[in-house]
Amino acid sequence: MQIARGLKSLRTRAGLTQSEVAKRAGVSVGTVNRYETWQDRAKLRVPTVSALAETCGATVREREALIQLVRNQENGWWMDHPAVPEVMDPLLSFEDVAEYEHVFANALVPGLLQTRNYALALHRAQDARVASDVIESRVDARIRRQAILDRTPAVHLWVIIDDAVLRRNVGGPDVMTEQIDHLQVMAQRPNVDIQVLRFGAGAHAGGSGGHFVILGRDDESDPLSSVNVVYLELHRRGLYLDAPEEVQNYKLMFDYLRSQASDTAASLDLLAAAREELTR
């Protein structure tokens, strides 16, 4: 998505058509179109991206930024991983380079904060006809994804959890108790903020929508290195948005949700109260 937008931006700046770029770069028009429309993302190649960027007059820094994005994609552990669905490949690629991730979770604990037992219970419920070893592999991949919270520099994760998430008994009381304990521990970390959106808050900015993720990295000196993407989680698939107006709308929605949710200190008390309910 970043690569596509970057290449199209360079071509527009150069005042060239796709046909002109294709002729000068020695590729087909179909290749230029495919790279600019983010099709077959797993098949993007460094030499082609480099040639397209140079043809459009990219600076060395701009070209290297695009090449690095391709290399990150090619070398990511999740690419072609049997336990990672293709729809998740872009999300993990964006997480790999993002500085922050903002999540509104209205049904389940976000993947980056799930315990192994919680994730296992979810997969057993969602993939009832899938072999146990396949489920184990999918859970392993989900836990591996959480490494971005421990890297240097770590992603700053800000999560707003709907009250319903804490009341949905996934895996039984023991699993939920462990999960809430984990949320309490993670909320103490400097790169993790957790807020709870109480039922008592009534109607809220998230309204009729569902789980969404905003991934960002801001680099004013090098726009091609910036990341601004929204991921909408749907059943068995996902939707990615990167149009500036759409991203800005979700950022505004998240800001309103932050103001409507309990603050981080009060949210720790709400987590403790939810845990106590489970142990009565």
Side-chain angles (χ1 to χ4, degrees):
M1 191 174 275
Q2 284 176 274
I3 298 168
R5 185 173 288 277
L7 289 173
K8 187 173 183 179
S9 176
L10 289 173
R11 181 174 62 78
T12 301
R13 187 179 70 187
L16 298 173
T17 65
Q18 288 188 346
S19 296
E20 289 170 332
V21 171
K23 184 175 181 179
R24 297 181 188 187
V27 299
S28 69
V29 176
T31 295
V32 177
N33 183 65
R34 178 166 63 85
Y35 274 60
E36 287 191 5
T37 55
W38 200 48
Q39 298 172 23
D40 301 327
R41 57 188 173 277
K43 299 178 182 177
L44 301 184
R45 296 291 179 258
V46 168
T48 304
V49 167
S50 180
L52 293 176
E54 288 181 359
T55 298
C56 294
T59 65
V60 172
R61 184 174 181 178
E62 289 171 336
R63 181 172 60 83
E64 288 302 315
L66 288 171
I67 288 174
Q68 188 57 49
L69 288 172
V70 179
R71 286 176 175 157
N72 288 347
Q73 176 184 277
E74 290 179 334
N75 299 328
W77 64 267
W78 55 88
M79 295 301 297
D80 298 322
H81 192 297
V84 179
E86 185 178 343
V87 69
M88 293 292 290
D89 287 346
L91 177 63
L92 273 62
S93 294
F94 291 134
E95 284 184 338
D96 192 50
V97 298
E99 292 178 343
Y100 63 86
E101 182 166 334
H102 296 166
V103 184
F104 172 55
N106 68 333
L108 302 168
V109 173
L112 290 177
L113 293 177
Q114 290 176 9
T115 64
R116 182 178 184 81
N117 286 327
Y118 184 95
L120 189 60
L122 281 180
H123 276 287
R124 284 174 175 167
Q126 295 169 353
D127 306 321
R129 298 186 178 184
V130 176
S132 59
D133 60 327
V134 174
I135 288 177
E136 289 283 352
S137 180
R138 290 176 181 176
V139 172
D140 288 342
R142 179 163 299 187
I143 299 304
R144 184 174 181 180
R145 175 187 163 206
Q146 297 173 359
I148 64 169
L149 297 175
D150 298 313
R151 75 186 187 202
T152 303
V155 166
H156 182 189
L157 178 65
W158 197 314
V159 177
I160 298 174
I161 297 178
D162 192 279
D163 233 341
V165 175
L166 303 177
R167 267 67 193 182
R168 176 166 284 105
N169 197 332
V170 175
D174 290 342
V175 171
M176 284 303 298
T177 298
E178 179 189 44
Q179 178 62 71
I180 293 176
D181 285 344
H182 182 63
L183 291 175
Q184 290 176 301
V185 170
M186 295 300 291
Q188 304 291 337
R189 296 179 57 159
N191 64 312
V192 177
D193 289 292
I194 298 176
Q195 290 180 260
V196 176
L197 183 62
R198 301 185 66 181
F199 287 134
H204 55 77
S208 60
H211 183 113
F212 67 83
V213 179
I214 303 171
L215 298 118
R217 183 179 71 194
D218 301 317
D219 189 343
E220 294 182 1
S221 65
D222 187 3
L224 289 181
S225 292
S226 296
V227 176
N228 279 287
V229 178
V230 174
Y231 170 65
L232 305 181
E233 190 166 287
L234 308 174
H235 183 62
R236 303 296 183 186
R237 61 187 295 265
L239 179 64
Y240 294 88
L241 308 174
D242 74 334
E245 182 178 351
E246 291 179 315
V247 174
Q248 185 56 39
N249 285 339
Y250 274 90
K251 285 184 175 181
L252 182 61
M253 188 191 310
F254 193 80
D255 285 341
Y256 277 119
L257 285 167
R258 280 194 286 206
S259 69
Q260 292 164 338
S262 300
D263 63 34
T264 53
S267 293
L268 280 173
D269 292 336
L270 293 172
L271 289 173
R275 186 191 190 284
E276 186 177 348
E277 287 181 21
L278 287 166
T279 56
R280 285 176 183 169

